[in-house]
Amino acid sequence: MHTKHYSRTIFTISIAAYLVLDHVGLTKAASEVSNYDFWPSNILGKRAMQLVRDHLSRRQERKKSRSSKQICYDMVGCFPIPRSSYSPLMKSPQSPDTVDTKFLVMTRQNRSDLILIKYGDRHVSMANSNFKPELPTKIIIHGFKGSGHDKVAKLLGNALLDLEDANVIFVDWEKGAAGPGYALAAANTQLIGRQLAILITDMVALNGDPARIHMIGFSLGAHVAGFAGKALKLLDIRVGRITGLDPASPLFRQMLSASLLSLSADDAAFVDVVHTDGARIWSEGFGLFNPIGDVDYFPNGGLDQPGCEQVRGSVIVSRFEGTMNSSVVCNHLRALQFFLESLKAVSDPDACQFTAFPCHTGWSMFQRGECFPTNCTDSNCVTMGFAASQSKLRGPLYLTTRDSSPFCGRQLKASVLLSPKTPKLRGYLQISLEDGDNTANFKLRTKHMDYISGGLLAEGLSVATYEKSVQKHLNIELSFQSLAYQTENEKYGLNSNIDVVVDKISIFDTEGNVWSNCTENSNLIHVDGTTIYAQTYSLSLFANC
């Protein structure tokens, strides 16, 4: 009875006070609240005074937010409210309660039963979990439409724990990543980044070493890591590494003043980025095309990945409406698949490594083989993926991959020297290499693009299945596809008897091996009923030409 009377009295006094505040207004109410004569002198009155002061403080914060074009949330701070007429696609982050971010801890002691920890609870939940501050910490952050419980996230966490004893933390912002549209999910990356930053300060307070923290973010998750790094930088905390797996492009391209800040090299001591679905123009792909990290890897040029159906037309709709299918996101997901595969190779010295190398003249020259290292060393080649932190190189790096798992393979460069007897012909050369049950295809390029002529060197790249042992012989088919029929005034057309004469064929790998066929004046043979000329050859390892 006494408790009910106490609560009812506070409630009655509080309601009366709220009515007074609404009547006199916020400004006058603020001064009245400070005047203790306004309140009864007993304990009930003081309790009611505190309730009203808390209520008034929240109202003042909301009013301040409206007047300064900001929206503010407890602990994480304020965010700008975009003007809809100025930037209709830009949004403000949702509230922490709506997003409902969860941080889940996995260790070698609890691989299946993840432990929930919270930020800002004075480290209580973290201290009561399996989190060990003396161990390295890996933080995995999913992207748009993702979840911390995704199968690939669990695969990644377990693979990391197979390599070393560590804390693995999944950032589960599923509700914030769901949208309903992409623009809202993109805006939420700012909020999630600050929440993560607070969690990391809790780790540091428990004597965790920020230099041993590695954030791994896919798509929008890469920018979450970036925002966390930016917030920590204001507190003079710098995490050791951020890996951005195809960081999302829409609304992060820095081409408009209203763009969100993307992940950058300043957000951690070392930032490595893998680009697999780059968008040179905003409608092309899901990922950023320009370098943004200390090291940026561009497998297959960072654009169209082998084995993926190229469906650019549907990308615009799927990005902003939130519709997804495997064809649309195939290129985008490759970054995650490459990184996961790289983890399995770290502990196996005989496994294939994603070897990457610089090409200062860009991807087009890389495709022609001009930057291909025929003998990799630590000074001209590095590894993409988990081992990237050991890289001595900086800037954009390139490599080629296979079209299916395992994606890592033996990278090859083919070179064909045309005899002076070959006239100028419109078309292109191609090599098909027997690769077990598969075929590795090279599209060869000359300096004249779609023309060949005598004395020119045609070169191209491909990837074969990786085997530690090196084959003594390679069987190939070299073909020429004539494009003469596309031009009316071309001399040569269908079934024409033209001469494509070859003097030397060589294939190089990155380990110093070279296979060659040195038969001079070898003619390609016309394939009846087509505009193709072809010939098969056997190439020998270290042939004496």
Side-chain angles (χ1 to χ4, degrees), residues 344-353 410 466-469 511:
K344 300 174 183 177
V346 172
S347 57
D348 184 358
D350 293 332
C352 180
Q353 304 291 335
R410 186 178 294 276
Y466 183 82
E467 294 179 2
K468 186 67 176 177
S469 59
E511 299 175 1

Side-chain angles (χ1 to χ4, degrees), residues 14-233:
S14 300
I15 289 295
Y18 292 162
L19 291 174
V20 171
L21 293 179
D22 283 337
H23 177 70
V24 301
L26 282 175
T27 304
K28 187 174 180 180
S31 62
E32 292 292 346
V33 167
S34 301
N35 181 6
Y36 280 79
D37 293 335
F38 178 81
W39 302 99
S41 59
N42 55 33
I43 295 175
L44 294 180
K46 291 180 180 179
R47 175 59 178 154
M49 178 184 72
Q50 185 60 48
L51 289 172
V52 176
R53 292 181 70 179
D54 291 345
H55 173 74
L56 178 59
S57 176
R58 289 192 294 269
R59 287 185 62 181
Q60 287 176 323
E61 286 183 8
R62 287 195 295 267
K63 183 178 180 183
K64 182 179 179 181
S65 294
R66 288 193 297 267
S67 62
S68 60
K69 302 296 183 184
Q70 290 184 324
I71 186 167
C72 301
Y73 302 117
D74 290 342
M75 298 188 69
V76 294
C78 300
F79 304 89
I81 300 175
R83 291 182 295 172
S84 58
S85 59
Y86 176 67
S87 51
L89 291 176
M90 300 302 293
K91 308 289 183 182
S92 295
Q94 294 172 289
S95 71
D97 289 341
T98 302
V99 173
D100 191 26
T101 308
K102 294 180 175 64
F103 299 97
L104 306 168
V105 177
M106 173 194 278
T107 69
R108 285 182 170 179
Q109 286 69 47
N110 64 302
R111 290 190 185 231
S112 56
D113 298 321
L114 307 187
I115 299 173
L116 176 68
I117 59 174
K118 299 179 180 180
Y119 66 88
D121 65 349
R122 298 187 177 184
H123 331 131
V124 173
S125 60
M126 189 176 294
N128 291 333
S129 71
N130 286 343
F131 178 85
K132 297 178 181 178
E134 68 273 14
L135 295 179
T137 297
K138 316 296 181 182
I139 301 174
I140 300 172
I141 315 165
H142 65 79
F144 184 44
K145 297 288 184 181
S147 166
H149 296 279
D150 286 342
K151 181 180 178 180
V152 69
K154 298 296 179 60
L155 288 173
L156 187 54
N158 278 298
L160 289 166
L161 289 176
D162 288 342
L163 286 179
E164 59 181 331
D165 193 8
N167 307 299
V168 174
I169 296 178
F170 299 97
V171 181
D172 184 9
W173 60 294
E174 180 177 4
K175 293 181 181 178
Y182 173 87
L184 186 56
N188 285 335
T189 59
Q190 304 167 86
L191 174 75
I192 314 303
R194 292 192 194 178
Q195 291 177 313
L196 178 55
I198 298 172
L199 188 79
I200 291 174
T201 61
D202 288 345
M203 297 178 196
V204 174
L206 292 175
N207 296 319
D209 184 358
R212 303 185 75 191
I213 295 175
H214 179 189
M215 292 188 274
I216 304 164
F218 168 63
S219 188
L220 284 179
H223 299 306
V224 169
F227 281 120
K230 291 173 177 63
L232 290 166
K233 190 176 178 181

